[in-house]
Amino acid sequence: MTKMDTTNSSSAAGVPSPQTLPPLPYSENALEPIITAKTMSFHYGKHHKAYVDNLNKLIAATDYANLSLEKIITSTAGQAEQMAIFNNAAQSWNHTFYWKSLTPNGGGEPPAALKLKIEASFGSVDTCKKELASTAVSQFGSGWAWLVLDGSLLKVVKTGNANIPITMGLKPLLAIDVWEHAYYLDYQNRRADYVNAVLDRLINWEFALQNIGK
Ligand code: FE2
């Protein structure tokens, strides 16, 4: 077995670093009252951490241990025998992206450059938000709603379970987690209330604009 570095640092000896749980971009109570600290502590501290920990166990002593998270995802997508690695890698990526898709005092008007792109693709910001909300609410079971860039157009798509737009040639701009663990402690079965509150109060339009330029 390849010896695994037990720290989170790179090794000059070529020992692969494990995938790491990135720090939250804000404190666990920063999104209250829309998302409570209790939800954040479970969602980030238990669920997200478990995906990263499980991924590290699955890739230890395999060729995947030497790859970036994105490369692990694209290398295992659609391969039934690698589904566990794909699921944990994609969920690790999706959650890091979701935390950045939210921000305290978010929502409101998008920055002008993004607003122009939204209007060109959806007609209005309100229509874009309504499409994001209806897509998030209509995802059957666990999954994600995404604002993505498809060529030069913005689109809204949904993915089930761990699935991720980068494997479909789409550039993610924003993500909304609609797994029950994202909202059940705060909203129980009222997914629409969670989604609309996120869109009105937390969505990070600046992050979406940054992602267009990447
Ligand atoms: Fe989640």
Side-chain angles (χ1 to χ4, degrees):
M1 260 182 82
T2 304
K3 182 176 177 293
M4 290 295 292
D5 189 353
T6 53
T7 71
N8 288 339
S9 59
S10 299
S11 166
V15 178
S17 295
Q19 298 292 329
T20 56
L21 179 67
L24 273 177
Y26 32 71
S27 62
E28 287 192 348
N29 65 359
L31 305 183
E32 290 192 332
I34 312 303
I35 298 174
T36 62
K38 187 174 184 183
T39 288
M40 290 298 292
S41 75
F42 278 94
H43 198 177
Y44 172 72
K46 303 290 185 191
H47 292 278
H48 190 178
K49 182 176 186 302
Y51 294 127
V52 177
D53 290 346
N54 288 337
L55 176 61
N56 280 323
K57 285 179 196 156
L58 288 163
I59 64 174
T62 75
D63 290 344
Y64 295 112
N66 299 307
L67 301 181
S68 69
L69 186 58
E70 289 81 0
K71 192 71 184 166
I72 295 170
I73 293 167
T74 54
S75 301
T76 55
Q79 297 189 41
E81 70 278 14
Q82 306 296 355
M83 190 180 292
I85 291 176
F86 171 81
N87 283 339
N88 284 284
Q91 283 294 79
S92 297
W93 194 99
N94 291 347
H95 281 86
T96 298
F97 194 83
Y98 169 62
W99 307 132
K100 293 178 182 174
S101 296
L102 309 179
T103 186
N105 304 311
E109 281 286 293
L114 177 62
K115 190 176 177 190
L116 281 173
K117 284 192 171 293
I118 288 175
E119 288 171 347
S121 298
F122 297 96
S124 71
V125 173
D126 198 45
T127 303
C128 173
K129 285 172 67 178
K130 281 185 175 146
E131 195 168 322
L132 267 168
S134 65
T135 299
V137 170
S138 66
Q139 166 58 32
F140 185 77
S142 298
W144 300 82
W146 305 84
L147 181 67
V148 300
L149 191 62
D150 182 9
S152 60
L153 275 184
L154 304 191
K155 284 185 180 170
V156 170
V157 298
K158 58 187 171 186
T159 61
N161 298 316
N163 289 310
I164 175 171
I166 58 175
T167 64
M168 303 174 236
L170 302 169
K171 182 188 277 192
L173 305 181
L174 291 170
I176 302 175
D177 189 344
V178 293
W179 283 60
E180 285 187 347
H181 65 222
Y183 60 90
Y184 220 82
L185 289 174
D186 297 333
Y187 296 85
Q188 292 77 52
N189 62 323
R190 293 175 286 114
R191 185 192 285 185
D193 288 356
Y194 152 74
V195 168
N196 284 312
V198 162
L199 286 168
D200 287 340
R201 307 274 299 276
L202 298 180
I203 205 73
N204 189 348
W205 295 122
E206 290 285 349
F207 180 59
L209 183 58
Q210 290 166 21
N211 287 322
I212 289 176
K214 283 183 181 170

